[in-house]
Amino acid sequence: MTQSRRMLVLRAVVEDYIRSQEPVGSTTLARDHDLGVSSATIRNDMAALEDEGYLIQPHTSAGRVPTEKGYRYFVDRLATVVPLSEAQRRGINSFLSGSASLEDTLQRAARLLAQITGQVAVVASPSLAKSTLRHVEIVPVSMTTLLAVVITDTGRVAQHLLVIGSLPETATLSAFSSAVNAQCGALPLSKAADAVRAMAADPRWRAIAPLVDALARAFDAMADDERTSELYMAGTSRLAHQRTVADLAPLFDALEEQVVLMKLMSSLSEEAQADGVSVAIGSETHTPGLMHASVVTSGYGHTGAARPSGESGADAGPAAQAGGDPVAFVGSIGPTHMDYANTMAAVRAVARYLTSFLAHDEDGPRS
């Protein structure tokens, strides 16, 4: 019995179980797969795979189903993420290109991914902590309060109230805003805060020291706030058709815990391999409600390096092409018997679109 053939048997079991969701027997494998051996030999291979923890036999007389370890072996040996067809990619571009804003694009992306996979789709908006400053506008709202409207390179718009002692003169406020944009443009918000603090030493801004300090603290607060990303979710109603009632409660609880979900999926997207897609199966999620689920995630956008110029570098993932860490993630949550190849391809395709969208958004209007 060769190890390589045994693993071909394992792959066949996983593929058949994903397709049928019924325990797989040796006779079926011998009939439907060109394994070159008898059903009795396949049966021996399956028994060995069960001993090694790759398969389990739910009932004595039934076939076998993959374990978490079996799925992990299968996913790790999907040599590459097979790209979607040209028609599928055009469909994604067509559906998403009608978006009016970043928020609309992310909502559409979640709905589309849920539709393609038949699973729960989760798309995070770009984190302010990973964004750089494009422009800040400071607007008076009362005699002691100003509103800082911050626009980032990822298209996020954040607002922060600045409470000060008295309102600066219009000319001074305008000059200060221009100076901040000139010195802080393209800086991460944390570094922009440091740059604004350094401006306090400039004699021109000595009279508005409270404003300088308030703006620096506002940039710090935005950079430190882990909850500034929003989650766009779609497809939760599909769960009821795939899970038993007993499984639904903890799964819905897990989906409600958005901070936990964001940390899990952000971490996965940052650990993604060269193909840009990362998979956590069952207990690998370290999330009680996801013990019987799998999570497929890819980062999109980037921090630091130059933007991608299009579809070049097809073998690289969205963040790998762009350089730097992803600014946010897109992912799919489904049963452990999900169609991994299709889900991984769909997640990567949507992530590539969002990376391109952010690049075009920075460079100007999309064509």
Side-chain angles (χ1 to χ4, degrees), residues 33 70 74 92-93 96 165-166 170 203 241 248 316 351:
H33 297 268
F74 175 79
I92 289 175
N93 289 345
L96 295 179
S166 60
T170 302
H241 302 293
L248 281 178

Side-chain angles (χ1 to χ4, degrees), residues 36-239:
V37 292
S38 67
S39 61
T41 300
I42 293 172
R43 190 157 49 249
N44 290 335
D45 286 352
M46 292 174 76
L49 288 165
E50 185 176 0
D51 290 341
E52 293 168 1
Y54 292 102
L55 300 176
I56 57 171
Q57 191 170 23
H59 307 290
T60 307
S61 59
R64 290 174 174 85
V65 303
T67 62
E68 192 176 290
K69 182 179 178 181
Y71 286 122
R72 171 47 63 193
Y73 182 90
F74 175 79
V75 168
D76 286 348
R77 275 144 190 86
L78 284 173
T80 57
V81 177
V82 179
L84 296 180
S85 69
E86 184 61 34
Q88 288 171 314
R89 286 205 302 273
R90 280 200 306 268
I92 289 175
N93 289 345
S94 175
F95 183 83
L96 295 179
S97 62
S99 305
S101 64
L102 174 63
E103 290 73 17
D104 187 30
T105 299
L106 300 182
Q107 286 175 334
R108 284 173 177 244
R111 290 202 305 272
L112 178 63
L113 184 58
Q115 183 179 335
I116 294 173
T117 62
Q119 297 161 180
V120 176
V122 182
V123 181
S125 65
S127 165
L128 284 175
K130 295 180 179 179
S131 302
T132 61
L133 180 68
R134 181 187 295 176
H135 185 78
V136 60
E137 195 76 29
I138 304 174
V139 183
V141 293
S142 77
M143 293 303 294
T144 58
T145 308
L146 299 165
L147 179 67
V149 181
V150 178
I151 303 172
T152 71
D153 63 324
T154 55
R156 288 286 304 276
V157 178
Q159 299 181 351
H160 212 286
L161 287 175
L162 311 176
V163 179
I164 56 176
S166 60
L167 198 63
E169 292 182 2
T170 302
T172 303
L173 183 58
S174 177
F176 176 67
S177 296
S178 297
V180 170
N181 284 309
Q183 295 186 38
C184 302
L187 290 179
L189 289 171
S190 58
K191 293 190 181 300
D194 294 337
V196 169
R197 284 195 182 88
M199 292 171 67
D202 190 321
R204 290 180 297 166
W205 318 125
R206 205 160 287 156
I208 56 168
L211 169 56
V212 176
D213 181 60
L215 183 61
R217 284 188 282 109
F219 282 161
D220 274 334
M222 293 178 201
D224 291 342
D225 190 350
E226 291 185 4
R227 303 185 67 172
T228 50
S229 291
E230 293 182 39
L231 280 187
Y232 299 89
M233 198 175 295
T236 51
S237 61
R238 299 172 187 266
L239 290 175

Side-chain angles (χ1 to χ4, degrees), residues 282-348:
S283 64
E284 296 171 356
T285 66
H286 304 292
T287 306
L290 299 177
M291 286 298 125
H292 302 290
S294 290
V295 179
V296 178
T297 309
S298 178
Y300 72 85
H302 77 103
T303 56
R307 301 277 185 176
S309 58
E311 289 294 312
S312 61
D315 293 331
Q321 293 175 59
D325 294 328
V327 297
F329 62 80
V330 52
S332 182
I333 301 172
T336 52
H337 60 258
M338 71 164 61
D339 183 341
Y340 287 96
N342 178 63
T343 301
M344 292 164 74
V347 165
R348 189 177 73 161

